[in-house]
């Protein structure tokens, strides 16, 4: 029988029209244990979040899963402990995932996770997003990473035309979105969708802010 937190994760998957199978649950549990073990050596998760890795971090990570098209190439910028990329990859093996993390110790942890969980078509890029060359992505994930206006110029160089960047933001992000308007226009982005979600158990209000990269300036009125 599943513990309460794992049951909440399973129910959240059902709400997202995902059936969490035993193999995927085992991978989540292994990942959870790796996080706890490595967190004693390097700072992956803050102390206040140790008891809510499942109820907050895992559940929050997968809240954007249905916004990502099948067989897409995805980059998780500043992924840190692998959030949100790894939880999404566990549930979506069809995706090609690049975990972008500039801190070497965290990159070592991420490689260990990919090896232990046997996640295929997933790679760690131990570098800053600004230095990525010769790679393009269909989707970029930016969970609590930085201001929209700071990340969009970086994403502009990494996305295919019509590619999207998904920001994980708090509910009160209107001013940040407004402040990014000029930057979005300059780099040929259009605000595609804003999706508000209340996470179960924690009742944290998550806002997904999604921008789409346009082909050229003529498309700005799409």
């Amino acid at each position: 029988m599943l513990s309460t937190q794992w049951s909440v994760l399973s129910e959240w998957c059902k709400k997202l029209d995902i059936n969490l199978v035993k193999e995927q649950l085992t991978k989540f549990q292994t990942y959870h244990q790796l996080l706890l073990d490595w967190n004693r050596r390097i700072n992956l998760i803050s102390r206040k979040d140790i008891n809510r890795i499942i109820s907050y971090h895992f559940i929050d990570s997968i809240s954007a899963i249905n916004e990502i098209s099948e067989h897409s190439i995805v980059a998780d910028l500043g992924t840190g402990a692998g959030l949100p990329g790894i939880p999404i990859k566990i549930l979506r093996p069809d995706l090609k995932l690049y975990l972008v993390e500039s801190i070497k110790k965290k990159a070592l942890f991420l490689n260990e996770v990919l090896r232990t969980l046997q996640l295929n078509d997933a790679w760690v890029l131990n570098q800053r997003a600004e230095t990525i060359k010769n790679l393009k992505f269909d989707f970029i994930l930016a969970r609590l990473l930085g201001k929209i206006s700071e990340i969009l110029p970086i994403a502009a160089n990494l996305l295919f035309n019509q590619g999207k960047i998904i920001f994980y933001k708090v509910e009160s992000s209107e001013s940040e979105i407004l402040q990014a308007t000029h930057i979005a226009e300059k780099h040929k982005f259009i605000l595609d969708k804003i999706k508000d979600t209340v996470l179960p158990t924690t009742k944290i209000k998550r806002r997904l802010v999604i921008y789409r990269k346009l082909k050229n300036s003529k498309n700005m009125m799409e």
Side-chain angles (χ1 to χ4, degrees):
M1 187 173 178
L2 293 179
S3 65
T4 301
Q5 288 199 54
W6 291 115
S7 294
V8 172
L9 176 63
S10 180
E11 288 301 314
W12 187 242
C13 286
K14 287 180 182 178
K15 285 191 175 184
L16 298 172
D17 295 322
I18 298 167
N19 181 30
L20 181 66
V21 299
K22 185 177 180 181
E23 181 185 359
Q24 292 168 328
L25 176 60
T26 299
K27 287 183 178 181
F28 270 114
Q29 291 171 333
T30 303
Y31 178 34
H32 182 261
Q33 190 59 53
L34 284 168
L35 278 168
L36 293 176
D37 293 344
W38 278 68
N39 207 58
R40 298 186 183 101
R41 288 175 275 166
I42 62 175
N43 184 29
L44 294 167
I45 300 291
S46 68
R47 290 183 179 181
K48 69 182 179 70
D49 283 346
I50 286 295
N51 294 321
R52 61 175 195 168
I53 292 173
I54 305 163
S55 62
Y56 173 44
H57 287 296
F58 289 178
I59 283 174
D60 184 32
S61 291
I62 65 174
S63 62
I65 200 165
N66 290 328
E67 304 301 327
I68 305 172
S69 305
E70 287 186 0
H71 306 293
S72 293
I73 305 171
V74 180
D76 180 3
L77 302 190
T79 184
L83 303 161
I86 289 174
I88 289 175
K89 177 63 177 175
I90 290 173
L91 296 173
R92 292 284 304 278
D94 62 289
L95 302 175
K96 291 184 178 181
L97 174 68
Y98 289 83
L99 298 166
V100 183
E101 176 52 54
S102 63
I103 298 175
K104 187 174 182 179
K105 288 182 179 179
K106 292 182 179 180
L108 289 171
F109 165 76
L110 294 169
N111 275 309
E112 177 66 11
V113 173
L114 296 186
R115 184 190 67 80
T116 304
L117 270 56
Q118 297 183 327
L119 295 177
N120 299 321
D121 292 327
W123 304 270
V124 178
L125 299 179
N126 183 203
Q127 61 189 103
R128 294 183 63 83
E130 299 93 322
T131 67
I132 295 174
K133 305 293 183 185
N134 304 318
L135 278 175
K136 293 284 187 179
F137 308 101
D138 300 303
F139 287 86
I140 288 175
L141 307 173
R143 181 175 181 258
L144 310 178
L145 182 61
K147 292 184 178 180
I148 293 172
S149 58
E150 296 171 350
I151 306 300
L152 283 180
I154 299 170
N157 296 320
L158 299 175
L159 283 170
F160 287 116
N161 289 332
Q162 303 302 322
K164 295 181 181 181
I165 179 166
I166 303 174
F167 291 96
Y168 289 65
K169 291 293 179 180
V170 296
E171 187 182 33
S172 56
S173 56
E174 288 86 356
S175 61
E176 187 179 341
I177 295 169
L178 185 63
Q179 289 168 7
T181 301
H182 175 68
I183 295 295
E185 291 176 353
K186 179 180 177 181
H187 292 278
K188 299 183 174 65
F189 280 99
I190 189 169
L191 182 58
D192 191 69
K193 181 189 290 187
I194 296 175
K195 182 178 179 181
D196 291 328
T197 304
V198 178
L199 305 179
T201 307
T202 61
K203 302 304 178 185
I204 290 171
K205 295 179 179 179
R206 168 64 65 233
R207 170 165 288 179
L208 299 176
V209 182
I210 305 172
Y211 287 84
R212 176 164 53 92
K213 183 183 176 186
L214 301 176
K215 192 170 183 180
N216 54 58
S217 57
K218 294 179 181 179
N219 297 118
M220 290 303 293
M221 297 306 292
E222 284 187 9

